[in-house]
């Protein structure tokens, strides 16, 4: 049995030292099922990147790109794949996700996290089926839009669900199940692509249709998984919330945590417009850091550009079709390793340490890629085998660093920051901002690669430097802090305390509540 951890006794928090929990089978089941939602995003990242490099797919839907690719088959050329319709195939999903997340916010708040997860799985399944059966570009885009709606719902609800179900002491590791399943989804999708690339002429249909599998698993699991206690309290189902909390924590001594949930819920019910409430001074840190800064910077690292177009990118550098998918498979294995490393240390070393340490590494790797490509690549000059291997290794190291920092923490930290009254709305803004920049990067990366050439990687390096300074100055450490008491960190932060002021209850009221709990 455990309490709130060392952070709970630092004099800042209210009742964290009174929280108790055990790890139960019920808790593990709920978290594993919820985390499957991450695999939807991962499978799509892997599948779409691999399929867009397959000759059979290009001949069927993008013959102009295929002809250009064949004309430059033995050349290294930054502009081989510069085609806006091809990139629209990838980015249409993310535009759909950013729009759908606002509808998901209403459902997540009023009907619960579980219902949103189920809705997301249904939409994603339909999108996968339509894409696998596509006979024209319109069907492809419709399928991608439905996939995007599924991702909008799941990315909105799953990080919240995992953060609310997890005890404060291990919330970081539990929430990162979302990133781990995302990484595993990417890796499995690349394995599928590696096999289906050899099946002519319809192997790409298997790749696109394989996205239906995690959707089915998430739907079945969603039917049986419990709603989060926080969501049940928010809906006024307090008796059911107490029962679920007791089962999830494995103890009857849940009064302190339940009281925090009720207080948060009472404040949440007083908020008529949660999106407008996000703009208030007391929520300014959550808006700037959690809703805008972190999800924006997560995409501006450049990592997802590499994941989207890894096979295309490696083909551009002169790798063959099969070897380019293999190279991206190796790179994505680094992403899984990074996620496992992060899960192991995030609740020990903290969020800030991982952000800062990995940021320094990622800056160095991006500079290395940019300088190497600038010196040795382009205008028909082929990379030597040694330089090609070095680039694959450096990109793999970059992805591993991202996989233990901005990848998982980009979803974990925002889900920790918002108070209950703005949590669902805040997560919608997180997903929206994330998807806006995901879509923009997806739509613009190949164009930028064509025109900026190696300079795009130096640009990403500069952005990584900026975001690392952002973390150093503005983000307080949230490890082991109960989710309903994170707002207290901002009241004691060197910068944010000047903006948010204080909203702690009077000492007398606090004393009475503590006395009741101790009794």
């Amino acid at each position: 049995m455990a309490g709130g951890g060392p952070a709970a006794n630092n004099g800042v928090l209210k009742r964290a030292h009174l929280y108790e929990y055990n790890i139960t089978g019920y808790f593990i089941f709920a978290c594993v099922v919820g985390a499957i939602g991450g695999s939807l995003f991962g499978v799509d990242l892997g599948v779409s990147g691999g399929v867009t490099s397959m000759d059979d797919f290009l001949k069927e839907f993008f013959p102009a790109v295929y002809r250009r690719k064949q004309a430059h088959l033995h050349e290294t050329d930054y502009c081989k794949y510069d085609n806006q319709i091809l990139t629209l195939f990838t980015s249409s999903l993310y535009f759909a996700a950013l729009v759908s997340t606002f509808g998901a916010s209403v459902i997540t708040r009023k009907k619960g996290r579980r219902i949103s997860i189920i809705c997301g799985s249904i939409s994603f399944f339909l999108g996968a089926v339509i894409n696998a059966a596509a006979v024209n570009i319109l069907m492809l885009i419709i399928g991608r839009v439905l996939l995007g709606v599924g991702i909008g719902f799941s990315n909105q609800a799953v990080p919240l669900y995992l953060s609310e179900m997890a005890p404060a002491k291990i919330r970081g590791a539990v929430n990162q199940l979302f990133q781990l399943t995302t990484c595993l989804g990417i890796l499995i999708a690349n394995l599928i692509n590696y096999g289906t690339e050899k099946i002519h002429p319809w192997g790409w249909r298997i790749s696109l249709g394989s996205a239906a599998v995690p959707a089915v698993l998430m739907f079945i699991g969603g039917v049986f998984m419990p709603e989060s206690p926080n969501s049940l309290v928010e809906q006024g189902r307090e008796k059911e919330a107490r029962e679920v909390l007791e089962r999830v924590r494995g103890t009857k001594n849940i009064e302190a945590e339940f009281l925090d949930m009720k207080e948060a819920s009472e404040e949440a019910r007083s908020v008529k417009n949660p999106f407008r409430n996000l703009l208030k001074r007391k929520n300014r840190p959550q808006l700037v850091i959690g809703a805008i800064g972190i999800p924006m910077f997560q995409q501006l690292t450049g990592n997802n550009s590499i994941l989207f177009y890894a096979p295309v990118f490696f083909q551009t550098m002169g790798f063959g079709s099969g070897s380019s998918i293999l190279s991206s498979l190796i790179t994505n294995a680094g992403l899984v390793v990074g996620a496992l490393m992060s899960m192991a240390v995030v609740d020990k070393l903290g969020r800030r340490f991982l952000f800062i340490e990995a940021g320094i590494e990622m800056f160095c790797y991006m500079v290395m890629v940019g300088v190497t490509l600038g010196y040795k690549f382009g205008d028909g000059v082929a990379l030597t085998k040694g330089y090609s291997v070095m680039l694959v290794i450096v990109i793999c190291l970059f992805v591993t660093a991202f996989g233990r920092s901005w990848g998982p923490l980009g979803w974990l930290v925002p889900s920790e920051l918002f108070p209950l009254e703005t949590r669902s709305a805040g997560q919608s803004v997180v997903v929206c901002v994330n998807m806006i920049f995901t879509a923009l990067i997806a739509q613009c990366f190949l164009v930028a690669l064509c025109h900026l050439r190696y300079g795009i990687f130096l640009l990403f390096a500069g952005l990584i430097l900026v975001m690392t300074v952002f973390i150093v100055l503005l983000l307080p450490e949230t490890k082991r802090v109960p989710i309903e008491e994170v707002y207290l960190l901002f009241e004691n932060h060197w910068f944010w305390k000047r903006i948010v002021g204080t909203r702690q209850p009077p000492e007398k009221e606090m004393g009475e509540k503590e006395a009741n709990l101790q009794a």
Side-chain angles (χ1 to χ4, degrees), residues 202-271:
W202 46 268
W204 59 271
R205 294 188 185 276
I206 299 176
S207 289
L208 293 177
S210 65
V213 175
V216 171
L217 293 176
M218 193 168 84
F219 176 81
I220 295 173
V223 172
F224 296 100
M225 67 192 282
E227 183 57 84
S228 78
N230 308 65
S231 180
L232 291 171
V233 171
E234 189 177 21
Q235 296 172 56
R237 297 154 63 184
E238 293 186 5
K239 181 179 179 182
E240 188 177 347
R242 181 184 290 274
E243 293 172 355
V244 171
L245 187 60
E246 288 178 355
R247 290 191 66 185
V248 169
R249 297 291 181 257
T251 176
K252 296 287 186 180
N253 299 322
I254 48 87
E255 193 61 36
E257 186 172 4
F258 189 69
L259 186 56
D260 275 346
M261 288 182 187
K262 286 182 63 177
E263 284 186 357
S265 178
E266 288 166 6
E267 186 167 355
R269 289 195 187 103
S270 69
V271 175

Side-chain angles (χ1 to χ4, degrees), residues 30-43:
C31 291
V32 169
V33 170
I36 292 175
S39 66
L40 303 188
F41 196 25
V43 166

Side-chain angles (χ1 to χ4, degrees), residues 352 356 467-475 493-494:
R352 282 172 52 86
I356 296 167
M467 64 187 74
T468 302
V469 174
F470 175 85
I471 293 297
V472 170
L473 295 178
L474 298 180
L475 179 68
H493 186 269
W494 73 272

Side-chain angles (χ1 to χ4, degrees), residues 40 116-128 146 150 215 218-219:
L40 303 188
S116 280
I117 291 172
I118 292 173
C119 290
S121 67
I122 294 172
S123 181
F124 199 86
F125 174 82
L126 294 174
L146 287 171
M218 193 168 84
F219 176 81

